[in-house]
Amino acid sequence: MRSVVSRFRHDEAGAILVFWAASIAVALGIVALSFDVGRMAATQSELQSYADHVALAAAGELDGKSDAITRATSAAANLVSDSQTYGGGGKTLAGATSYTLEFYDRLPSSDTGSLSAGLTTVPADAIYARVTIAPRTVGFAFAQAFFALTGTAPTGNTVGAVAVAGFTQYACDITPMMFCIPDPSFDAANPATVGDMIRLRAGGQGAAWGPGNFGFLEPSTLALDSTGNCAGAGGTGPMLRCVLGAVGSITQCFPARGVNTEPGQKVGITNDSLNTRFDMWSGAMKNEKNNPIYAPAPNVIKGIEPKTGGACNWNNPQPTADTAALPRDTCITSGGCAPYGNGDWSAGRTAYVAKNYGGTDPHMSAATRYQYYLAEIAANGGAGSSSPILSGLSETGRPMCSANQHADPERRGIIAAGIDCGANPLPGSSTNVPVHQFVKMFITEPVVDNGGSVSALDIYAEIIGSAGGNGGTSGSSGIIHDVVQLYR
């Protein structure tokens, strides 16, 4: 007979319970660990979502203006809130105490630590917003028992978040022109500014650039739309003539936060090209009158009669006795406010109506010259009609030389980059110049070289509004895209 000890040693009954007990312990441990890891993942996801939204809110204000960082900081603090479920206890995430916000002029190279390269406090240079959420401790629940049994301290249970977002503005199919704004507070979107006249005068290399001076946006290197009307145009001259005069899709989109500029002394190219919109053909454009890509506007009233020889002979045009162009602001005519008017053209309006309509104003409700221009088109069959706008006069108001007529009234519109030339002095050709605002303008009269000097070329235009954001339509107007992007 075996002893009790011997029987116990060889008895296998119930042995499986030992393995079950060990397995259950392991399984429960895995469940506990999964639960705690899930709590950490949920907290990290909440923090990252909050960081992403704060960075996007801040970056959306980084348009290069003098108050960009102030607006970005305010947007981040006031527009975004979220909640944190587990880390350090549930709480609301909102306000500047929840994160650290930094601004950079280049994309930060890393997500870790405080980076000094590219860090900036200059609003004009700030392009990227970097948000850092301080690490939060996520308390363990089930795993706490394991650490208690083993006598060790919890580790690896802190989570945080970093997000980087940036702002880029793209300009598509705009007129490659820039001009100096009157002061930093200028806003073409302000209703009080709409309808004001600007006299744009060519600025030259080394000249003192002041309000109203204009130049060009890198015409020699401008990327042309490969399927547009200017595709294949080579050289500064041919390219500039095309992008200033042609209709439809012209240039590719390009980053417009910092533009490259060139002087504005290309007088012949400018007036020859812009004047195709008025059905005037001279210089290098004299053989393009029947080219549909240079179709004139549907309203070309200009107060000029052709010389003897027919409607196409607009070289050295003469003031006509029986029609008038849309007038300038009264204070610009008197010399009291050039180059920026105040929108009061009442005196000139009386003369315009007297000459073109015999003294009876057919469009009393039109407050601005652009509205008057549109009303003249609408009252005579619309943009696609050939019905005369003026009757019994030397001008009909419709193209009389070209066989084409553009269907979009905005053919006489341009979009130019408004530059704060006081804050950004221009020696002529400059690179990475901040754009204050893209401005939509209506050319009120033909552009004429009044003597051949750099300063002799004047463009008179009325402000239609701002082209910032997703502004602009078809025809001569481009589109400005504000792109806010999360980089990481």
Side-chain angles (χ1 to χ4, degrees):
M1 177 182 292
R2 290 183 295 176
S3 66
V4 174
V5 173
S6 177
R7 288 200 307 271
F8 179 78
R9 187 178 60 190
H10 292 88
D11 191 352
E12 296 180 356
I16 193 66
L17 293 177
V18 177
F19 293 102
W20 269 107
S23 299
I24 289 174
V26 172
L28 291 176
I30 292 175
V31 171
L33 181 62
S34 299
F35 180 82
D36 288 331
V37 170
R39 284 159 49 90
M40 291 178 59
T43 302
Q44 202 282 327
S45 179
E46 291 166 346
L47 296 180
Q48 189 62 57
S49 175
Y50 180 62
D52 292 347
H53 284 87
V54 171
L56 288 168
E61 302 296 328
L62 299 180
D63 54 8
K65 296 182 180 178
S66 59
D67 61 343
I69 288 181
T70 300
R71 285 186 285 109
T73 303
S74 177
N78 299 324
L79 297 182
V80 182
S81 64
D82 207 329
S83 62
Q84 169 194 318
T85 304
Y86 298 112
K91 64 178 64 175
T92 298
L93 297 171
T97 58
S98 301
Y99 55 80
T100 300
L101 178 61
E102 298 171 311
F103 300 97
Y104 291 80
D105 62 9
R106 70 200 72 171
L107 186 64
S109 58
S110 172
D111 286 342
T112 59
S114 179
L115 307 175
S116 58
L119 190 65
T120 184
T121 58
V122 180
D125 296 335
I127 301 176
Y128 301 97
R130 181 174 182 261
V131 174
T132 305
I133 308 294
R136 305 294 209 267
T137 299
V138 181
F140 285 128
F142 293 100
Q144 188 66 38
F146 171 80
F147 289 112
L149 291 173
T150 59
T152 59
T155 59
N157 59 331
T158 59
V159 294
V162 176
V164 178
F167 177 94
T168 305
Q169 189 176 73
Y170 292 93
C172 309
D173 286 325
I174 69 166
T175 313
M177 296 178 63
M178 54 72 58
F179 72 100
C180 298
I181 61 175
D183 58 70
S185 65
F186 174 80
D187 182 8
N190 188 334
T193 303
V194 174
D196 289 356
M197 174 163 276
I198 305 177
R199 184 198 68 195
L200 302 174
R201 176 159 290 183
Q205 182 73 40
W209 286 71
N213 285 149
F214 81 86
F216 299 99
L217 302 183
E218 52 176 9
S220 60
T221 58
L222 201 62
L224 298 178
D225 191 317
S226 61
T227 60
N229 283 330
C230 293
T236 302
M239 180 185 294
L240 186 56
R241 291 188 189 98
C242 189
V243 297
L244 288 178
V247 303
S249 179
I250 305 299
T251 63
Q252 298 175 6
C253 299
F254 62 98
R257 180 184 179 87
V259 296
N260 300 336
T261 68
E262 292 190 12
Q265 69 263 58
K266 302 173 178 66
V267 175
I269 294 175
T270 305
N271 60 6
D272 291 345
S273 300
L274 291 179
N275 282 345
T276 62
R277 304 163 192 247
F278 286 89
D279 194 32
M280 297 175 65
W281 310 91
S282 59
M285 306 303 294
K286 64 183 178 181
N287 295 323
E288 302 288 351
K289 62 180 181 292
N290 289 321
N291 188 338
I293 76 169
Y294 298 109
N299 182 346
V300 294
I301 298 174
K302 46 191 167 289
I304 297 174
E305 66 178 8
K307 294 179 67 176
T308 302
C312 292
N313 190 0
W314 294 105
N315 289 324
N316 301 313
Q318 304 168 17
T320 183
D322 63 355
T323 63
L326 285 167
R328 303 168 186 174
D329 280 359
T330 303
C331 65
I332 287 184
T333 301
S334 66
C337 65
Y340 286 92
N342 55 15
D344 179 7
W345 56 290
S346 54
R349 179 172 184 155
T350 299
Y352 182 86
V353 171
K355 276 200 169 186
N356 295 349
Y357 297 103
T360 301
D361 194 335
H363 308 297
M364 291 291 294
S365 62
T368 68
R369 280 154 289 218
Y370 184 59
Q371 292 171 348
Y372 207 100
Y373 160 84
L374 294 177
E376 289 178 320
I377 296 172
N380 295 277
S385 173
S386 60
S387 176
I389 296 173
L390 302 178
S391 300
L393 302 175
S394 60
E395 289 189 83
T396 67
R398 302 289 187 177
M400 299 167 62
C401 176
S402 175
N404 303 292
Q405 175 179 288
H406 195 50
D408 192 340
E410 288 195 18
R411 175 67 174 134
R412 274 174 60 180
I414 59 175
I415 292 181
I419 305 293
D420 184 352
C421 297
N424 304 279
L426 302 175
S429 296
S430 302
T431 59
N432 202 33
V433 181
V435 176
H436 175 82
Q437 189 177 45
F438 283 92
V439 182
K440 297 179 67 174
M441 293 181 281
F442 166 61
I443 304 175
T444 59
E445 61 185 82
V447 183
V448 179
D449 179 2
N450 293 318
S453 67
V454 169
S455 62
L457 175 60
D458 290 340
I459 302 172
Y460 288 89
E462 180 183 78
I463 296 175
I464 299 176
S466 170
N470 292 315
T473 56
S474 59
S476 60
S477 295
I479 298 176
I480 313 301
H481 293 290
D482 292 338
V483 180
V484 182
Q485 178 180 349
L486 189 66
Y487 288 87
R488 54 176 179 258

